[in-house]
Amino acid sequence: MTKLQAAKDLVRGSHVALDGASPGASAESLAPFLAPDHLWRAYHPFGELTGAAALGRVFWDPLKSALTRIQRREDIFFAGLNQMDGFESTWVVSMGHLMGLFDQPWLGIRPTGKMAFLRYCAFYRVEGGRIAETAMYFDIPHLMTQAGQCPFPNQTAAHLVQPGPITHDGLLYAAQPEAEGQATLAAINAMITDLGQWKSGLPLQEELARTWHDDMIWWGPEGVGATYTIERYARQHSGPFRAGFGNRSKTTHIARLAEGHYGGFFGWPNFTAVPTGGFMGLPGSDTPGEFRVIDIYRRAGNKLAENWVFIDLLHFWKMQGRDFLKETTGYDHAD
């Protein structure tokens, strides 16, 4: 427990230092908290970066210059040991929005001069008193839509500025009972093991009801949207998604952990699948695509109640030959 609390303190300290740093000082603020060979994984167009200097120069300084007076609005924070390596490594998770005044272009996205929200989730691996690696996923298409540059066709559900948990208890700064985290991880594993390969043999809604509350909320990314209740989730996302894809690979995760009533995982990628039947209103193909995904869950009782989902749809579609960021904003990360 002390180990997890020390890791939380380190990550919270890095947030305070980074959030208080001016554009141009991001790397300096991060350096005391990151390992020299720190690995940062993020959505298209960033990919992988190594070290504080690259992270500050490529991501944080330009973002802070674009979203002035930037503010971290954190909804979920927890830590845990990673099931994927036998509960050896320690990870800390932070999820919420980065909010600021959109005053300068970013990735070719036009500034609005108004408030804008960049939805994010970050997994931090802590080792030897430093952050050794980070997976930070964010919803760039949602920011594009706020700026009037929606890259995708109409989505099947609804995307809003997504709130935190209905219980308002997602910031687990204090230590939590170990049994609660074990119960949350068990609920997540049941969903993955029983349902994750789409082979339960049950009708979809019955399958979902095994591990989800009927009034579940699936907070999906821009391009898909959020949906409420098992019936609408089946109709507005899960059903169309399964119908649109074939040759789904096995699920693989780099980290999967839980604390209290919250847990989650990420992969790089989580799985691959072929959009044989089309996806998001776009035509199908026979080309496999990678799904880089973060899922964060809230458990209530013995079932899952809320799920915040981050999917790198820009990367997926780029593998299908569509560079939606470049098509919409003119930004080319190869320049």
Side-chain angles (χ1 to χ4, degrees):
M1 201 68 74
T2 303
K3 184 178 182 180
L4 294 185
Q5 290 305 111
K8 290 179 186 179
D9 290 345
L10 175 71
V11 170
R12 293 183 71 190
S14 74
H15 286 174
V16 170
L18 174 63
D19 296 350
S22 61
S26 300
E28 182 181 358
S29 72
L30 285 168
F33 299 93
L34 305 185
D37 58 350
H38 171 266
L39 173 63
W40 188 77
R41 292 185 176 98
Y43 277 2
H44 178 81
F46 297 101
E48 296 182 343
L49 297 172
T50 301
L55 179 54
R57 181 184 71 255
V58 176
F59 178 73
W60 281 111
D61 287 343
L63 180 65
K64 283 172 169 278
S65 295
L67 291 181
T68 60
R69 302 291 296 272
I70 197 165
Q71 184 180 94
R72 185 185 303 270
R73 302 183 63 85
E74 192 171 52
D75 294 310
I76 292 175
F77 183 89
F78 65 92
L81 302 179
N82 181 13
Q83 176 186 331
M84 307 315 296
D85 61 10
F87 302 99
E88 290 295 324
S89 58
T90 300
W91 292 75
V92 178
V93 179
S94 171
M95 189 202 85
H97 292 83
L98 300 173
M99 184 274 287
L101 298 169
F102 199 175
D103 287 341
Q104 298 293 331
W106 186 61
L107 305 179
I109 308 169
R110 294 189 297 262
T112 63
K114 302 175 182 179
M115 293 170 66
F117 291 76
L118 180 63
R119 181 170 166 257
Y120 82 91
C121 187
F123 277 61
Y124 305 92
R125 180 170 66 85
V126 175
E127 180 179 330
R130 295 287 186 97
I131 299 170
E133 65 178 294
T134 303
M136 185 175 180
Y137 294 2
F138 28 74
D139 199 338
I140 292 173
H142 185 225
L143 184 67
M144 295 167 69
T145 298
Q146 292 172 63
Q149 294 176 278
C150 180
F152 302 133
N154 289 337
Q155 51 198 4
T156 53
H159 195 131
L160 312 168
V161 173
Q162 297 183 357
I166 192 172
T167 48
H168 298 281
D169 62 354
L171 298 174
L172 308 186
Y173 297 143
Q176 304 296 308
E178 188 173 349
E180 295 292 348
Q182 292 172 345
T184 301
L185 193 57
I188 293 170
N189 285 332
M191 181 271 299
I192 294 169
T193 301
D194 294 346
L195 314 178
Q197 301 303 320
W198 308 345
K199 295 178 181 178
S200 71
L202 295 172
L204 178 56
Q205 291 188 45
E206 290 183 28
E207 175 187 299
L208 293 168
R210 292 169 61 177
T211 51
W212 294 93
H213 286 283
D214 182 66
D215 63 349
M216 64 164 300
I217 301 182
W218 190 85
W219 299 104
E222 182 70 34
V224 179
T227 185
Y228 170 48
T229 75
I230 283 179
E231 186 271 331
R232 296 299 169 88
Y233 171 64
R235 185 200 308 176
Q236 295 175 345
H237 175 63
S238 187
F241 189 80
R242 294 189 187 195
F245 283 90
N247 299 322
R248 186 191 195 280
S249 71
K250 291 184 177 180
T251 300
T252 58
H253 295 147
I254 290 176
R256 188 189 306 167
L257 56 137
E259 184 183 25
H261 288 82
Y262 294 88
F265 54 71
F266 81 92
W268 189 261
N270 298 49
F271 65 92
T272 62
V274 181
T276 52
F279 179 44
M280 292 170 51
L282 295 160
S285 80
D286 57 3
T287 302
E290 292 182 345
F291 282 86
R292 295 173 176 171
V293 182
I294 277 179
D295 276 84
I296 301 297
Y297 299 90
R298 178 178 69 85
R299 174 183 59 85
N302 63 353
K303 291 187 178 182
L304 302 173
E306 293 187 84
N307 180 197
W308 294 263
V309 185
F310 299 75
I311 306 174
D312 190 352
L313 293 172
L314 294 177
H315 172 69
F316 171 84
W317 283 114
K318 197 165 190 301
M319 294 184 72
Q320 300 296 313
R322 295 292 304 273
D323 189 339
F324 279 105
L325 183 61
K326 184 177 181 180
E327 290 177 23
T328 307
T329 72
Y331 180 84
D332 187 348
H333 76 289
D335 289 347

